[in-house]
Amino acid sequence: MIHIKTKEEIELMRHSALIVSKTLGMLAKEVRPGVTTLQLDALAETFIRDHGAEPAFLGLYDFPNSLCMSPNAQVVHGIPNDKPLQEGDIISIDCGAYKNGFYGDHAYTFEVGEVTSEVKKLLQVTKESLYIGISEFRIGKRVGDVGYAIQQYTESHGYGVVRELVGHGLGRKMHEDPEMPNYGKRGRGKKFVEGMVVAIEPMINMGTHRIKQLRDGWTILTADGKPSAHFEHNVAIVDGKPELLSTFAYIYEALGITSDEEVAFRREALVLE
């Protein structure tokens, strides 16, 4: 069952999403060779609580930490550990916050120092596919339209689209209907309506789309050991069009990046606080 949100509820969800956005922005300054994912996890938990929210992942389905930290060939759901990040790594940080009865949940894949041009392209294409998918999230379209757009764009670059893991509805629960695959056929699936809120999150592999799971019961890896990228935004349908509730602007501010990629999905200019 899809839970439609009022405009007031969407504003509450925006607050939760922006706490995640600010957390990722804070972490952007800390991601570097030598730091451990456990150290980053501790920083995130403190930051989220200091902003009046609860870490949404901690204890969710018995997950042991506040962040999913997935380096290199790990796709998603990596458990933070004490192994230092190394020059040339990439690290997907998936973060959630719960406040005022609603969840925020999004992700960004960071470069650790200097990465190869091949890896940079994977990250660029995956992030571009996120916005291509968001463009299809509007009244009159369906779930398959989003998945088709993401799949066609990423596969045109020779990448593999993970099938077993998908985006999802978001609200008073972390995972709500509808499921949002990153593959599909145009015109198929549930129709989008005003007030829907979803997490769109391409998980794209440099090689095969196939995956495997570690014995820890959480960590998902690419089957061929090649890198994987993961970017995620929270999006609502407002006045028939997609509107971002989350932002990468705090990350870009920390890293000195200039971007206009989110402009088309905002009613007004975002003012960083």
Side-chain angles (χ1 to χ4, degrees):
M1 177 180 176
I2 295 174
H3 297 279
I4 303 303
K5 279 73 179 181
T6 65
K7 288 192 175 182
E8 291 76 17
E9 289 174 327
I10 288 173
E11 287 309 306
L12 290 175
M13 292 194 68
R14 193 190 310 276
H15 292 313
S16 298
L18 287 176
I19 289 172
V20 178
S21 300
K22 293 174 183 178
T23 304
L24 292 174
M26 177 274 295
L27 292 171
K29 302 174 184 177
E30 305 295 334
V31 173
R32 60 184 181 276
V35 72
T36 71
T37 49
L38 267 178
Q39 289 173 321
L40 297 174
D41 184 74
L43 289 172
E45 179 175 354
T46 298
F47 188 91
I48 291 168
R49 294 191 188 281
D50 286 349
H51 283 74
E54 298 176 17
F57 294 169
L58 184 61
L60 183 69
Y61 312 126
D62 294 325
F63 189 74
N65 293 89
S66 297
L67 298 175
C68 292
M69 306 284 280
S70 308
N72 302 321
Q74 293 186 17
V75 182
V76 287
H77 302 164
I79 299 174
N81 58 44
D82 59 3
K83 181 180 179 181
L85 296 176
Q86 298 183 2
E87 182 82 16
D89 284 346
I90 56 173
I91 178 78
S92 166
I93 303 182
D94 195 354
C95 179
Y98 179 77
K99 186 175 183 179
N100 296 325
F102 290 96
Y103 285 93
D105 164 33
H106 49 285
Y108 192 91
T109 301
F110 293 88
E111 301 174 15
V112 183
E114 291 295 323
V115 304
T116 66
S117 58
E118 188 179 25
V119 169
K120 277 184 179 290
K121 182 181 177 183
L122 171 67
L123 269 58
Q124 177 186 341
V125 169
T126 302
K127 185 152 64 71
E128 289 170 351
S129 79
L130 170 62
Y131 293 103
I132 289 171
I134 290 171
S135 296
E136 298 292 315
F137 183 58
R138 60 182 64 242
I139 286 180
K141 297 281 190 174
R142 294 178 179 269
V143 166
D145 295 310
V146 172
Y148 176 87
I150 293 171
Q151 180 181 16
Q152 290 300 303
Y153 187 70
T154 53
E155 288 185 348
S156 72
H157 288 84
Y159 298 139
V161 180
V162 174
R163 304 296 202 273
E164 295 86 346
L165 303 159
V166 298
H168 51 90
L170 187 70
R172 292 188 182 277
K173 293 182 179 180
M174 173 65 74
H175 298 108
E176 297 184 353
D177 287 336
E179 290 190 344
M180 297 290 295
N182 297 303
Y183 61 94
K185 295 183 178 180
R186 289 191 187 278
R188 300 287 182 88
K190 294 183 179 179
K191 184 179 287 187
F192 300 137
V193 297
E194 185 77 9
M196 285 182 67
V197 181
V198 299
I200 298 175
E201 49 178 321
M203 290 159 273
I204 308 300
N205 301 340
M206 185 177 287
T208 180
H209 68 82
R210 294 184 175 85
I211 59 173
K212 59 185 179 181
Q213 188 175 46
L214 290 184
R215 291 181 180 178
D216 62 20
W218 284 102
T219 307
I220 302 295
L221 297 164
T222 59
D224 58 8
K226 292 184 178 180
S228 182
H230 177 211
F231 292 88
E232 178 181 13
H233 266 314
N234 301 157
V235 196
I237 294 183
V238 179
D239 299 328
K241 300 179 293 185
E243 183 171 312
L244 284 177
L245 305 184
S246 54
T247 182
F248 294 152
Y250 294 98
I251 295 172
Y252 296 159
E253 181 184 44
L255 299 180
I257 296 172
T258 301
S259 172
D260 62 359
E261 64 196 13
E262 297 181 3
V263 171
F265 307 109
R266 297 200 178 281
R267 286 174 296 173
E268 54 193 35
L270 179 70
V271 178
L272 299 186
E273 299 174 358

PDB file of all heavy atoms in Angstrom, residues 11-34:
ATOM      1  N   GLU A  11       7.079  18.407   4.326  1.00  0.00           N
ATOM      2  CA  GLU A  11       8.014  19.346   4.955  1.00  0.00           C
ATOM      3  C   GLU A  11       8.731  18.704   6.139  1.00  0.00           C
ATOM      4  O   GLU A  11       9.924  18.939   6.357  1.00  0.00           O
ATOM      5  CB  GLU A  11       7.280  20.618   5.381  1.00  0.00           C
ATOM      6  CG  GLU A  11       6.887  21.514   4.226  1.00  0.00           C
ATOM      7  CD  GLU A  11       8.050  21.805   3.283  1.00  0.00           C
ATOM      8  OE1 GLU A  11       9.106  22.276   3.763  1.00  0.00           O
ATOM      9  OE2 GLU A  11       7.921  21.549   2.080  1.00  0.00           O
ATOM     10  N   LEU A  12       8.021  17.895   6.919  1.00  0.00           N
ATOM     11  CA  LEU A  12       8.667  17.181   8.012  1.00  0.00           C
ATOM     12  C   LEU A  12       9.705  16.201   7.466  1.00  0.00           C
ATOM     13  O   LEU A  12      10.800  16.056   8.035  1.00  0.00           O
ATOM     14  CB  LEU A  12       7.628  16.434   8.849  1.00  0.00           C
ATOM     15  CG  LEU A  12       6.681  17.296   9.690  1.00  0.00           C
ATOM     16  CD1 LEU A  12       5.628  16.425  10.369  1.00  0.00           C
ATOM     17  CD2 LEU A  12       7.460  18.099  10.752  1.00  0.00           C
ATOM     18  N   MET A  13       9.373  15.553   6.357  1.00  0.00           N
ATOM     19  CA  MET A  13      10.330  14.634   5.746  1.00  0.00           C
ATOM     20  C   MET A  13      11.547  15.380   5.211  1.00  0.00           C
ATOM     21  O   MET A  13      12.671  14.861   5.246  1.00  0.00           O
ATOM     22  CB  MET A  13       9.655  13.852   4.618  1.00  0.00           C
ATOM     23  CG  MET A  13       8.595  12.873   5.101  1.00  0.00           C
ATOM     24  SD  MET A  13       8.112  11.686   3.835  1.00  0.00           S
ATOM     25  CE  MET A  13       9.601  10.721   3.687  1.00  0.00           C
ATOM     26  N   ARG A  14      11.335  16.599   4.720  1.00  0.00           N
ATOM     27  CA  ARG A  14      12.465  17.405   4.260  1.00  0.00           C
ATOM     28  C   ARG A  14      13.452  17.658   5.405  1.00  0.00           C
ATOM     29  O   ARG A  14      14.669  17.598   5.223  1.00  0.00           O
ATOM     30  CB  ARG A  14      11.967  18.725   3.679  1.00  0.00           C
ATOM     31  CG  ARG A  14      13.044  19.496   2.894  1.00  0.00           C
ATOM     32  CD  ARG A  14      12.582  20.907   2.548  1.00  0.00           C
ATOM     33  NE  ARG A  14      11.267  20.929   1.941  1.00  0.00           N
ATOM     34  CZ  ARG A  14      11.036  20.737   0.640  1.00  0.00           C
ATOM     35  NH1 ARG A  14      12.041  20.489  -0.169  1.00  0.00           N
ATOM     36  NH2 ARG A  14       9.802  20.796   0.161  1.00  0.00           N
ATOM     37  N   HIS A  15      12.926  17.928   6.600  1.00  0.00           N
ATOM     38  CA  HIS A  15      13.799  18.149   7.766  1.00  0.00           C
ATOM     39  C   HIS A  15      14.641  16.909   8.050  1.00  0.00           C
ATOM     40  O   HIS A  15      15.846  17.002   8.312  1.00  0.00           O
ATOM     41  CB  HIS A  15      12.976  18.523   8.994  1.00  0.00           C
ATOM     42  CG  HIS A  15      12.314  19.868   8.900  1.00  0.00           C
ATOM     43  ND1 HIS A  15      12.978  20.993   8.481  1.00  0.00           N
ATOM     44  CD2 HIS A  15      11.051  20.265   9.178  1.00  0.00           C
ATOM     45  CE1 HIS A  15      12.155  22.032   8.494  1.00  0.00           C
ATOM     46  NE2 HIS A  15      10.985  21.610   8.907  1.00  0.00           N
ATOM     47  N   SER A  16      14.004  15.734   8.011  1.00  0.00           N
ATOM     48  CA  SER A  16      14.744  14.492   8.255  1.00  0.00           C
ATOM     49  C   SER A  16      15.790  14.258   7.174  1.00  0.00           C
ATOM     50  O   SER A  16      16.930  13.875   7.464  1.00  0.00           O
ATOM     51  CB  SER A  16      13.771  13.306   8.320  1.00  0.00           C
ATOM     52  OG  SER A  16      12.861  13.447   9.382  1.00  0.00           O
ATOM     53  N   ALA A  17      15.398  14.495   5.925  1.00  0.00           N
ATOM     54  CA  ALA A  17      16.335  14.296   4.816  1.00  0.00           C
ATOM     55  C   ALA A  17      17.532  15.233   4.914  1.00  0.00           C
ATOM     56  O   ALA A  17      18.676  14.839   4.658  1.00  0.00           O
ATOM     57  CB  ALA A  17      15.615  14.497   3.481  1.00  0.00           C
ATOM     58  N   LEU A  18      17.287  16.485   5.300  1.00  0.00           N
ATOM     59  CA  LEU A  18      18.379  17.454   5.363  1.00  0.00           C
ATOM     60  C   LEU A  18      19.349  17.168   6.502  1.00  0.00           C
ATOM     61  O   LEU A  18      20.524  17.531   6.425  1.00  0.00           O
ATOM     62  CB  LEU A  18      17.825  18.871   5.472  1.00  0.00           C
ATOM     63  CG  LEU A  18      17.199  19.409   4.186  1.00  0.00           C
ATOM     64  CD1 LEU A  18      16.596  20.794   4.411  1.00  0.00           C
ATOM     65  CD2 LEU A  18      18.218  19.445   3.040  1.00  0.00           C
ATOM     66  N   ILE A  19      18.879  16.503   7.561  1.00  0.00           N
ATOM     67  CA  ILE A  19      19.812  16.069   8.596  1.00  0.00           C
ATOM     68  C   ILE A  19      20.795  15.056   8.017  1.00  0.00           C
ATOM     69  O   ILE A  19      22.007  15.113   8.275  1.00  0.00           O
ATOM     70  CB  ILE A  19      19.066  15.490   9.806  1.00  0.00           C
ATOM     71  CG1 ILE A  19      18.348  16.607  10.566  1.00  0.00           C
ATOM     72  CG2 ILE A  19      20.037  14.754  10.750  1.00  0.00           C
ATOM     73  CD1 ILE A  19      17.438  16.121  11.668  1.00  0.00           C
ATOM     74  N   VAL A  20      20.280  14.159   7.183  1.00  0.00           N
ATOM     75  CA  VAL A  20      21.174  13.216   6.505  1.00  0.00           C
ATOM     76  C   VAL A  20      22.119  13.962   5.570  1.00  0.00           C
ATOM     77  O   VAL A  20      23.325  13.692   5.535  1.00  0.00           O
ATOM     78  CB  VAL A  20      20.360  12.169   5.725  1.00  0.00           C
ATOM     79  CG1 VAL A  20      21.301  11.218   4.983  1.00  0.00           C
ATOM     80  CG2 VAL A  20      19.447  11.387   6.660  1.00  0.00           C
ATOM     81  N   SER A  21      21.585  14.921   4.825  1.00  0.00           N
ATOM     82  CA  SER A  21      22.418  15.697   3.896  1.00  0.00           C
ATOM     83  C   SER A  21      23.558  16.393   4.629  1.00  0.00           C
ATOM     84  O   SER A  21      24.705  16.408   4.166  1.00  0.00           O
ATOM     85  CB  SER A  21      21.562  16.743   3.173  1.00  0.00           C
ATOM     86  OG  SER A  21      20.524  16.153   2.443  1.00  0.00           O
ATOM     87  N   LYS A  22      23.242  16.994   5.771  1.00  0.00           N
ATOM     88  CA  LYS A  22      24.273  17.686   6.558  1.00  0.00           C
ATOM     89  C   LYS A  22      25.278  16.700   7.140  1.00  0.00           C
ATOM     90  O   LYS A  22      26.476  17.006   7.237  1.00  0.00           O
ATOM     91  CB  LYS A  22      23.607  18.497   7.666  1.00  0.00           C
ATOM     92  CG  LYS A  22      22.782  19.666   7.152  1.00  0.00           C
ATOM     93  CD  LYS A  22      22.024  20.357   8.276  1.00  0.00           C
ATOM     94  CE  LYS A  22      21.150  21.488   7.751  1.00  0.00           C
ATOM     95  NZ  LYS A  22      20.360  22.146   8.820  1.00  0.00           N
ATOM     96  N   THR A  23      24.791  15.518   7.528  1.00  0.00           N
ATOM     97  CA  THR A  23      25.701  14.490   8.047  1.00  0.00           C
ATOM     98  C   THR A  23      26.697  14.074   6.974  1.00  0.00           C
ATOM     99  O   THR A  23      27.910  13.977   7.230  1.00  0.00           O
ATOM    100  CB  THR A  23      24.909  13.265   8.534  1.00  0.00           C
ATOM    101  OG1 THR A  23      23.939  13.660   9.506  1.00  0.00           O
ATOM    102  CG2 THR A  23      25.847  12.235   9.159  1.00  0.00           C
ATOM    103  N   LEU A  24      26.217  13.841   5.768  1.00  0.00           N
ATOM    104  CA  LEU A  24      27.106  13.470   4.670  1.00  0.00           C
ATOM    105  C   LEU A  24      28.072  14.600   4.337  1.00  0.00           C
ATOM    106  O   LEU A  24      29.239  14.356   3.999  1.00  0.00           O
ATOM    107  CB  LEU A  24      26.289  13.081   3.444  1.00  0.00           C
ATOM    108  CG  LEU A  24      25.476  11.791   3.563  1.00  0.00           C
ATOM    109  CD1 LEU A  24      24.589  11.602   2.332  1.00  0.00           C
ATOM    110  CD2 LEU A  24      26.364  10.580   3.761  1.00  0.00           C
ATOM    111  N   GLY A  25      27.607  15.833   4.448  1.00  0.00           N
ATOM    112  CA  GLY A  25      28.488  16.971   4.229  1.00  0.00           C
ATOM    113  C   GLY A  25      29.597  17.034   5.262  1.00  0.00           C
ATOM    114  O   GLY A  25      30.757  17.342   4.946  1.00  0.00           O
ATOM    115  N   MET A  26      29.253  16.759   6.514  1.00  0.00           N
ATOM    116  CA  MET A  26      30.262  16.712   7.575  1.00  0.00           C
ATOM    117  C   MET A  26      31.271  15.602   7.304  1.00  0.00           C
ATOM    118  O   MET A  26      32.495  15.792   7.431  1.00  0.00           O
ATOM    119  CB  MET A  26      29.570  16.498   8.921  1.00  0.00           C
ATOM    120  CG  MET A  26      30.498  16.354  10.125  1.00  0.00           C
ATOM    121  SD  MET A  26      31.085  14.649  10.415  1.00  0.00           S
ATOM    122  CE  MET A  26      29.542  13.818  10.812  1.00  0.00           C
ATOM    123  N   LEU A  27      30.775  14.438   6.888  1.00  0.00           N
ATOM    124  CA  LEU A  27      31.661  13.300   6.634  1.00  0.00           C
ATOM    125  C   LEU A  27      32.570  13.540   5.435  1.00  0.00           C
ATOM    126  O   LEU A  27      33.687  13.001   5.386  1.00  0.00           O
ATOM    127  CB  LEU A  27      30.833  12.038   6.418  1.00  0.00           C
ATOM    128  CG  LEU A  27      30.075  11.514   7.640  1.00  0.00           C
ATOM    129  CD1 LEU A  27      29.125  10.391   7.237  1.00  0.00           C
ATOM    130  CD2 LEU A  27      31.033  11.037   8.725  1.00  0.00           C
ATOM    131  N   ALA A  28      32.114  14.354   4.480  1.00  0.00           N
ATOM    132  CA  ALA A  28      32.923  14.624   3.286  1.00  0.00           C
ATOM    133  C   ALA A  28      34.290  15.189   3.662  1.00  0.00           C
ATOM    134  O   ALA A  28      35.291  14.929   2.976  1.00  0.00           O
ATOM    135  CB  ALA A  28      32.186  15.583   2.363  1.00  0.00           C
ATOM    136  N   LYS A  29      34.340  15.944   4.748  1.00  0.00           N
ATOM    137  CA  LYS A  29      35.604  16.530   5.201  1.00  0.00           C
ATOM    138  C   LYS A  29      36.505  15.506   5.892  1.00  0.00           C
ATOM    139  O   LYS A  29      37.698  15.749   6.081  1.00  0.00           O
ATOM    140  CB  LYS A  29      35.325  17.684   6.164  1.00  0.00           C
ATOM    141  CG  LYS A  29      34.466  18.790   5.582  1.00  0.00           C
ATOM    142  CD  LYS A  29      34.127  19.826   6.655  1.00  0.00           C
ATOM    143  CE  LYS A  29      33.200  20.892   6.129  1.00  0.00           C
ATOM    144  NZ  LYS A  29      32.801  21.881   7.161  1.00  0.00           N
ATOM    145  N   GLU A  30      35.911  14.377   6.289  1.00  0.00           N
ATOM    146  CA  GLU A  30      36.640  13.382   7.078  1.00  0.00           C
ATOM    147  C   GLU A  30      37.094  12.171   6.274  1.00  0.00           C
ATOM    148  O   GLU A  30      37.918  11.394   6.744  1.00  0.00           O
ATOM    149  CB  GLU A  30      35.756  12.901   8.239  1.00  0.00           C
ATOM    150  CG  GLU A  30      35.216  14.007   9.127  1.00  0.00           C
ATOM    151  CD  GLU A  30      36.300  14.743   9.886  1.00  0.00           C
ATOM    152  OE1 GLU A  30      37.372  14.137  10.125  1.00  0.00           O
ATOM    153  OE2 GLU A  30      36.092  15.922  10.238  1.00  0.00           O
ATOM    154  N   VAL A  31      36.534  11.994   5.071  1.00  0.00           N
ATOM    155  CA  VAL A  31      36.886  10.834   4.249  1.00  0.00           C
ATOM    156  C   VAL A  31      38.264  11.057   3.633  1.00  0.00           C
ATOM    157  O   VAL A  31      38.445  11.946   2.802  1.00  0.00           O
ATOM    158  CB  VAL A  31      35.825  10.606   3.149  1.00  0.00           C
ATOM    159  CG1 VAL A  31      36.289   9.508   2.187  1.00  0.00           C
ATOM    160  CG2 VAL A  31      34.482  10.228   3.758  1.00  0.00           C
ATOM    161  N   ARG A  32      39.216  10.254   4.047  1.00  0.00           N
ATOM    162  CA  ARG A  32      40.591  10.395   3.562  1.00  0.00           C
ATOM    163  C   ARG A  32      41.366   9.116   3.879  1.00  0.00           C
ATOM    164  O   ARG A  32      40.937   8.316   4.720  1.00  0.00           O
ATOM    165  CB  ARG A  32      41.278  11.588   4.244  1.00  0.00           C
ATOM    166  CG  ARG A  32      41.349  11.476   5.764  1.00  0.00           C
ATOM    167  CD  ARG A  32      41.952  12.717   6.396  1.00  0.00           C
ATOM    168  NE  ARG A  32      42.035  12.599   7.853  1.00  0.00           N
ATOM    169  CZ  ARG A  32      41.044  12.868   8.679  1.00  0.00           C
ATOM    170  NH1 ARG A  32      39.880  13.307   8.214  1.00  0.00           N
ATOM    171  NH2 ARG A  32      41.213  12.710   9.987  1.00  0.00           N
ATOM    172  N   PRO A  33      42.500   8.916   3.236  1.00  0.00           N
ATOM    173  CA  PRO A  33      43.310   7.739   3.545  1.00  0.00           C
ATOM    174  C   PRO A  33      43.695   7.716   5.033  1.00  0.00           C
ATOM    175  O   PRO A  33      44.037   8.739   5.609  1.00  0.00           O
ATOM    176  CB  PRO A  33      44.550   7.919   2.664  1.00  0.00           C
ATOM    177  CG  PRO A  33      44.077   8.767   1.527  1.00  0.00           C
ATOM    178  CD  PRO A  33      43.073   9.712   2.123  1.00  0.00           C
ATOM    179  N   GLY A  34      43.576   6.540   5.631  1.00  0.00           N
ATOM    180  CA  GLY A  34      43.965   6.365   7.021  1.00  0.00           C
ATOM    181  C   GLY A  34      42.819   6.360   8.004  1.00  0.00           C
ATOM    182  O   GLY A  34      42.941   5.824   9.118  1.00  0.00           O
TER     183      GLY A  34
END
